[in-house]
Amino acid sequence: RSALRGAVRGAARLEVVALACLAGGAACLLPLAAPNPPLITPFAPTHSRAQGLPAGGGAPVFEFQVLNGRWDAELARLERAVGRQRFWLPEPLRAKFRKAQRAAAAARRAELLEREARLEEEIERDLDGAALRPEQILQKLSKRVFVLSFSDLEQPLPETDDISATPDDRRITPLSTPAWVAFLRDSVSVLLQAASEFDEVVLRLSSPGGTVAEYGLAAAQILRLKRAGIKVTCCVDTVCASGGYMMACVADHIVAAPFALVGSIGVVAELPNFHRVMDRFEVDYLLVTAGKFKRSVHHLAANTDEGVAHFQQQLELVHDAFKAHVAEFRPTVDVEEVATGDSWLATHALENGLVDELATSDEYLDRKESEGFDIVGMRLQPRQPRLLPSLLRQALGLPLGLSQAAF
């Protein structure tokens, strides 16, 4: 009898464990069964928050990191690992060496005291002349450089936790220009409230261009910063062509690495036509439009000379708008000479006025740090993967998500 009771209890325990495992497996599979997010994001997460979520609620959107002294830990580790070779010096030389060290330390201290005195005089002058309000003086003393990236050529955006429950608000697809434009839009919205006239925004731009509407919107986001009196510097390390240059030319200052590719101020459109293939297989294609030029050129129907000419005219209008855009923000550039669709190395682009300085973005940021700016990197807050779904995705060979975009 006792053995029977033990067997019944053991079977009941196994049934409970099996039900628990089944429930856990179903919970893990539910995220996999969710529909994929759309390829175009109509609203960015910060806009969802603005449409009704309480302030401070929801998952964080951005991640900030102070980049000053970012190599200090590595340099200290290198010093501990390698150190410096010790040299034996005779006493007269040791005395001279110590004297030179004391002189260098005294000169450094004098330089710091002089800089501090100049700073005190400047603050006193601003206060006495009422040129700046106290909060503006504090902003001037704590100048910052905010570093953003726009790299639809190279890097995907990191996934973020949804702020709202709607799938339309998810960040989307690696190498997606709409996602990068949404990130830039939200970043600018934040910086317009956080940055002051003494701060600077550095945009690390790497883009070969794309559709007119997307890059026109991105350029308009940069213009929002300029209109607020915030200096914008665009740093190009690899490529800034076509729509990428449409964005870059809005900036106050363009810095490019010597072998970066810059320019391509032109417009291109191309499409295959299959009407002869369809005729061969006796396939009819019906196209019904209202409006003479509702469809100027076609993929599947025969194109007319009038339709192609109208399409060419539309491209010319876009090109004229592009040239006027460059002329507005780069008035020293001979637009007719450079707006041929050609691209140049930055060394040549400097000669025709498309860029202002030859340097890498790292060099420029190091210089700003030496001038006393706080360097603040800004990127999307990456989504923290849940353990069980990530393990199940890995077991099934499904992608785990987008990688984190580097500063």
Side-chain angles (χ1 to χ4, degrees), residues 5-330:
R5 282 199 299 269
V8 171
R9 289 171 182 167
R13 291 193 193 99
L14 289 175
E15 185 176 357
V16 170
V17 171
L19 289 174
C21 292
L22 182 61
C28 293
L29 288 172
L30 281 177
L32 299 178
N36 292 327
L39 292 181
I40 297 179
T41 303
F43 300 103
T46 48
H47 291 73
S48 301
R49 176 180 298 175
Q51 290 177 1
L53 289 179
V61 178
F62 295 107
E63 179 178 285
F64 305 95
Q65 182 179 351
V66 178
L67 303 179
N68 296 67
R70 54 194 176 278
W71 303 115
D72 289 352
E74 293 300 316
L75 293 175
R77 194 167 64 89
L78 175 64
E79 188 70 22
R80 289 194 301 269
V82 180
R84 296 185 182 275
Q85 186 174 356
R86 296 182 179 274
F87 292 92
W88 179 88
L89 296 174
E91 181 56 33
L93 284 180
R94 282 204 299 268
K96 286 186 177 181
F97 194 81
R98 287 193 293 267
K99 182 179 179 180
Q101 285 181 320
R102 290 194 295 268
R108 176 61 176 165
R109 176 176 174 79
E111 180 185 353
L112 293 176
L113 290 174
E114 183 181 357
R115 185 183 302 177
E116 184 177 343
R118 288 199 305 267
L119 183 60
E120 291 176 357
E121 291 176 1
E122 185 177 354
I123 295 173
E124 187 174 358
R125 186 168 56 251
D126 290 337
L127 289 173
D128 292 341
L132 298 175
R133 299 188 304 272
E135 58 269 22
Q136 290 179 305
I137 294 176
L138 292 177
Q139 292 171 347
K140 186 177 179 181
L141 293 175
S142 57
K143 300 179 294 185
R144 297 167 295 183
V145 171
F146 295 95
V147 184
L148 303 176
S149 291
F150 190 102
S151 303
D152 60 348
L153 173 66
E154 300 170 349
Q155 298 172 347
L157 280 168
E159 288 185 343
T160 56
D161 290 323
D162 296 337
I163 294 180
S164 69
T166 61
D168 290 342
D169 290 324
R170 296 176 184 168
R171 299 285 182 168
I172 43 133
T173 65
L175 307 181
S176 166
T177 300
W180 280 105
V181 174
F183 165 69
L184 180 62
R185 175 180 62 180
D186 294 343
S187 302
V188 169
S189 298
V190 172
L191 291 177
L192 286 176
Q193 302 180 55
S196 72
E197 58 187 300
F198 306 103
D199 297 332
E200 181 178 346
V201 175
V202 170
L203 178 64
R204 279 175 155 172
L205 179 60
S206 178
S207 176
T211 63
V212 176
E214 289 170 355
Y215 283 90
L217 178 59
Q221 302 304 326
I222 301 173
L223 187 57
R224 291 171 63 195
L225 293 170
K226 289 189 62 175
R227 287 172 176 165
I230 301 171
K231 181 182 177 182
V232 180
T233 298
C234 181
C235 291
V236 182
D237 288 329
T238 53
V239 61
C240 172
S242 194
Y245 192 77
M246 180 183 289
M247 294 174 59
C249 71
V250 181
D252 299 285
H253 193 65
I254 302 178
V255 181
F259 283 89
L261 198 63
V262 179
S264 188
I265 304 173
V267 187
V268 62
E270 53 188 352
L271 69 161
N273 186 273
F274 299 97
H275 85 277
R276 285 197 295 268
V277 176
M278 296 177 66
D279 291 342
R280 178 181 176 185
F281 289 96
E282 299 182 350
V283 177
D284 294 329
Y285 174 71
L286 177 64
L287 176 67
V288 180
T289 63
K292 183 178 180 180
F293 293 114
K294 181 61 180 178
R295 186 71 70 224
S296 301
V297 292
H298 314 269
H299 289 89
L300 302 177
N303 291 312
T304 65
D305 293 339
E306 184 182 19
V308 172
H310 180 261
F311 191 66
Q312 178 66 42
Q313 182 183 8
Q314 290 178 315
L315 293 186
E316 295 293 345
L317 290 175
V318 175
H319 191 209
D320 290 341
F322 195 174
K323 291 191 292 184
H325 175 83
V326 174
E328 178 183 359
F329 296 105
R330 306 287 293 185

